[in-house]
Amino acid sequence: MRSSSLPPAAEAAPMDTVAERRKFVHGVSLVIRGEGIPVFLMHGIGGAASSCGALAQLLSAHGYQTFCWDAPGYGESAAPPKGLDHPDLVLDILATLNLGPAHLIGTSWGGVIATRIAAQAPEAVRSIVLADSTRGSGITRTAAERMLARVPELAAVGPEILAARRSAKLVSPSAPAWVAEAVRADMAAVRMSGFASAAAMMAQCDTTDLLPRLRIPALVLVGQDDVITGVAESKVLAENIPGAALRIIAGAGHAAVQEKPEEMSAAILAFWEGIQ
């Protein structure tokens, strides 16, 4: 499995990259890079640790220690236990590793987890970055039902066909072929246990009432061509979180974290510099 979203030529060429290592905590696989202030990166419902790899590499090269998780039931992580609370698990991982307050970066579903963590345990969070994210699928019954319907679809057709059906919508029409393929490959590797657990959380979640109560520095990033959660939803997040900044990433879709990691990292680093 690819460890990042670097282009094939870049992966083959000698590069001055930050070494990565893998660690398991509470059954969760973490890809760790660098040293410094901790940054915890959480992928979307169709992703994995590899989805955040290129962004993590860039942030680590600037002196941060990054942790990309395979959410429970994804990648190399163990299957999720029944009734898993994903925000609680992230907080347990941070406490077990004794990291102190961390920057949280969540893309799509990962951003919903980050929002709930920031509301539940602000003392554990330095800032949140919500990338192509949402308030959750619980904002309407239709959205919740649509999210839950993806689980029997996955069971019926399998991850390869599901990825073939859906992955093209995740990227901008201008995305290079190798990026589109990396996004498709991540979705084609999803496991039923992790996907079903994530879908159940999303269907139950509506963070609308949490947003105005957040007192954590927040940056909202969204691809200009995102047709999944969309620019309008990111504007709702930014407008309702006190003091939040909004940045629209040109030439990127819902998978902006993989399509435009350089632009994403530049925006995030500037945001962190401004709050230090």
Side-chain angles (χ1 to χ4, degrees):
M1 181 180 293
R2 294 161 66 91
S3 61
S4 70
S5 293
L6 294 173
E11 289 187 332
M15 292 182 64
D16 194 14
T17 58
V18 179
E20 64 182 54
R21 60 194 185 278
R22 191 177 293 272
K23 185 179 182 71
F24 289 84
V25 181
H26 302 314
V28 172
S29 170
L30 303 171
V31 178
I32 306 171
R33 298 173 176 88
E35 301 293 339
I37 294 173
V39 182
F40 200 89
L41 297 97
M42 293 167 283
H43 58 79
I45 195 170
S50 55
S51 305
C52 305
L55 176 60
Q57 180 67 229
L58 292 165
L59 298 177
S60 294
H62 282 83
Y64 292 87
Q65 185 173 41
T66 60
F67 299 78
C68 296
W69 83 337
D70 282 325
Y74 284 81
E76 298 191 25
S77 292
K82 186 176 181 179
L84 170 66
D85 186 289
H86 293 85
D88 278 349
L89 177 59
V90 173
L91 287 168
D92 286 346
I93 291 170
L94 295 177
T96 298
L97 294 174
N98 195 28
L99 294 177
H103 294 295
L104 303 182
I105 300 176
T107 184
S108 194
W109 168 50
V112 179
I113 299 174
T115 300
R116 286 185 49 193
I117 293 170
Q120 177 180 336
E123 71 282 355
V125 182
R126 290 177 183 268
S127 75
I128 56 172
V129 176
L130 309 179
D132 296 276
S133 195
T134 173
R135 290 165 288 166
S137 300
I139 56 175
T140 67
R141 176 178 292 183
T142 299
E145 291 174 348
R146 188 184 303 120
M147 173 58 68
L148 292 175
R150 294 167 66 178
V151 177
E153 181 185 7
L154 174 61
V157 305
E160 284 282 354
I161 292 178
L162 184 68
R165 287 178 178 177
R166 295 185 177 273
S167 62
K169 296 180 180 179
L170 299 179
V171 298
S172 169
S174 62
W178 66 267
V179 173
E181 171 55 24
V183 172
R184 187 209 64 80
D186 281 345
M187 181 172 282
V190 297
R191 293 155 49 197
M192 175 57 78
S193 63
F195 190 86
S197 180
M201 176 193 152
M202 284 290 281
Q204 296 169 4
C205 195
D206 176 2
T207 64
T208 301
D209 292 340
L210 297 180
L211 301 179
R213 304 204 300 265
L214 295 181
R215 294 297 182 266
I216 299 295
L219 171 65
V220 179
L221 299 173
V222 61
Q224 185 176 33
D225 301 327
D226 186 345
V227 297
I228 303 299
T229 53
V231 173
E233 178 69 6
S234 285
K235 287 182 176 178
V236 170
L237 296 177
E239 289 168 0
N240 285 277
I241 299 174
L246 172 68
R247 169 78 183 276
I248 299 173
I249 306 297
H254 186 66
V257 69
Q258 289 170 275
E259 296 176 81
K260 298 288 184 178
E262 292 87 0
E263 289 83 348
M264 296 276 280
S265 66
I268 292 168
L269 290 168
F271 164 60
W272 288 342
E273 183 177 353
I275 64 175
Q276 286 175 358

